[in-house]
Amino acid sequence: MEIGVPKESKDQEFRVGLSPSSVRVLQESGHRVFVEAQAGNGAGFSDDDYRFVGAEIVPTAESAWNRELVVKVKEPLISEYNFLQKGQILFTYLHLAADRKLTEHLIDCGVTAIAYETVEQAGANRLPLLTPMSIIAGRLSVQFGARYLERQQGGRGVLLGGVPGVKAGKVVILGGGVVGAEAARIAVGMGAAVQILDVNVDRLSYLETLFGSRVELLYSNSAHIEAAVKEADLLIGAVLVLGRRAPILVSRELVAKMHPGSVIVDVAVDQGGCVETLHATSHTNPVYIESGVVHYGVPNMPGAVPWTATQALNNSTLPYVQQLANSGLQALEINPSLGKGVNVQNHRLVHPAVQEVFPDLVSN
C-alpha cells in the first residue's frame, strides 16, 4: 500500500505521523511510504533519516496526501480539505464533536476517517491511541500552569510548591482519568496541594491507591466544584466523554469568583472544553485573560514536546497502521478495536457518540 505522511499544518505542531523507525517497519513489510519534505524536522527527524529507512521524500503536501492511506497527527485544516479524496483512508486525531465543518466535509468527500481518540479496546474500556498523548498533556498541564502563575506571565505570582513558612499553591483537577492522574503526579512532585474531583467512585478508590493522603479526592458535584474552584491557584480541566463534547462544569460566574491571576488549563479544549470562558488558543498565542483569570487553551499541547510525543504516539499507532496497510478496510473487521475508531465512512457519519452530537448529519 502507498502511505502518505504530510507535514502538519496546525500552528506550531511539530509532531509527525510516522517516525523513521515506523517507516522502516512498514517498508520491510513491502509498503511504500511518501513523506513530505521536512515533515519530521520539528520532531528531530531529517529527510535523510527517512531516506535511510526507505521512505520517498516528496516536495509538496499534495504529493503526500495523494495516497491510499494518510497517517497524520492532527485533524485536517480547511487549507487541506481539497486533498481529501473518495476511497482514501485517513488515520489521525479528529475530535469531530467540536468541529462541525470538518465533520460535514469528511462526509461529503467520501473518505474513511478513523480517529485515534475513538479506537477502543473491546471489553477493556481503554483508548490505547489517546492514552500516550493524554499522559503527556496531563504532565504538561501543570508545567505550563506553573509557568503562567508567574507574575511576569500574568499570573498571581504563586510558587506551586511553596516554601517553609508559606503555604503551597492549590491545584484543582476536574477529572481523574489519565490526564488528571498524570497532572496530579506532577503537581504532587512539585509540592502543591492537590484536589481531584471525579464522578466515578471506583476511579477515586484507584487514585487513592496511587496517591494515598497526598491528594484530596472528592466526588464531583456542583457544590464541591464551586468550593474547590474558588480557592484554586491552578485549575486543570481533564474531563473526557468518549466522542462527545466535554460538559461545562465551570460557569462564567464561577470563573469570576476565582483569585485574580489564577490560571486555568483546559486539556479538554479539543472536545469543546469544560470551562465556559475558555476557548481554543495556539502555541503562538497560548493565553488570554478573562475575569482577571489567565486562560490556557492550546488543543495540541503535546506538540510542544514533539521528539517525545511522536515516538510515544508511534509506539501505540504503528500496529494499527500495519493492519490498515496489510489488509485495507478489511482490517476494520479483523480488529474490532480499530473498527470502533471509524467516525465517517461511505459518506455517512457512523460513530454513535458523534452521531449524538450531530443528529441532523445522520443519514437514514
Side-chain angles (χ1 to χ4, degrees), residues 66-317:
N66 191 28
R67 308 297 162 184
E68 301 165 81
L69 170 62
V70 175
V71 180
K72 290 184 82 278
V73 178
K74 294 301 291 181
E75 72 283 352
L77 302 184
I78 293 175
S79 60
E80 298 170 307
Y81 284 7
N82 62 312
F83 296 137
L84 293 161
Q85 307 168 29
K86 183 177 177 63
Q88 189 178 55
I89 303 172
L90 173 65
F91 196 29
T92 188
Y93 287 114
L94 289 173
H95 298 290
L96 294 184
D99 195 338
R100 182 184 180 93
K101 182 173 289 188
L102 175 59
T103 305
E104 291 174 336
H105 187 77
L106 292 175
I107 294 170
D108 291 341
C109 70
V111 301
T112 295
I114 307 171
Y116 292 156
E117 73 273 8
T118 58
V119 172
E120 184 178 1
Q121 288 188 342
N125 196 29
R126 288 189 62 246
L127 305 173
L129 307 189
L130 188 61
T131 296
M133 296 304 98
S134 294
I135 292 172
I136 291 173
R139 295 181 180 185
L140 284 175
S141 67
V142 179
Q143 183 173 312
F144 287 136
R147 176 186 175 192
Y148 286 105
L149 274 170
E150 297 170 7
R151 186 64 180 173
Q152 290 85 349
Q153 303 296 330
R156 64 189 304 239
V158 170
L159 180 65
L160 285 181
V163 294
V166 181
K167 69 178 182 178
K170 181 177 180 180
V171 178
V172 173
I173 303 168
L174 302 179
V178 175
V179 170
E182 295 301 325
R185 190 188 305 275
I186 300 303
V188 167
M190 294 177 74
V194 182
Q195 289 181 321
I196 300 176
L197 293 88
D198 199 287
V199 294
N200 187 327
V201 176
D202 290 337
R203 182 65 182 179
L204 291 175
S205 296
Y206 169 73
L207 293 172
E208 185 179 37
T209 67
L210 288 183
F211 298 112
S213 59
R214 294 176 297 170
V215 172
E216 184 178 5
L217 301 166
L218 297 172
Y219 185 79
S220 182
N221 58 36
S222 57
H224 287 160
I225 290 172
E226 181 175 2
V229 168
K230 285 194 295 185
E231 298 302 318
D233 295 301
L234 171 58
L235 173 64
I236 295 173
V239 177
L240 172 68
V241 182
L242 177 62
R244 298 176 175 85
R245 287 187 64 90
I248 297 295
L249 299 181
V250 180
S251 67
R252 186 176 303 276
E253 291 74 22
L254 183 52
V255 170
K257 295 177 182 178
M258 295 177 70
H259 298 297
S262 54
V263 175
I264 299 173
V265 177
D266 196 346
V267 184
V269 67
D270 52 11
Q271 288 289 109
C274 63
V275 178
E276 188 176 10
T277 53
L278 197 138
H279 60 72
T281 59
S282 67
H283 285 293
T284 299
N285 296 294
V287 297
Y288 60 93
I289 296 177
E290 185 166 334
S291 298
V293 175
V294 180
H295 290 60
Y296 179 100
V298 177
N300 57 325
M301 290 174 61
V305 287
W307 185 85
T308 299
T310 293
Q311 294 176 85
L313 181 61
N314 273 237
N315 290 343
S316 297
T317 58

Side-chain angles (χ1 to χ4, degrees), residues 20 40-41 44-51 57:
N41 282 10
F45 308 123
S46 68
D47 288 350
D48 285 341
D49 291 333
Y50 284 102
R51 289 191 184 97
I57 303 300

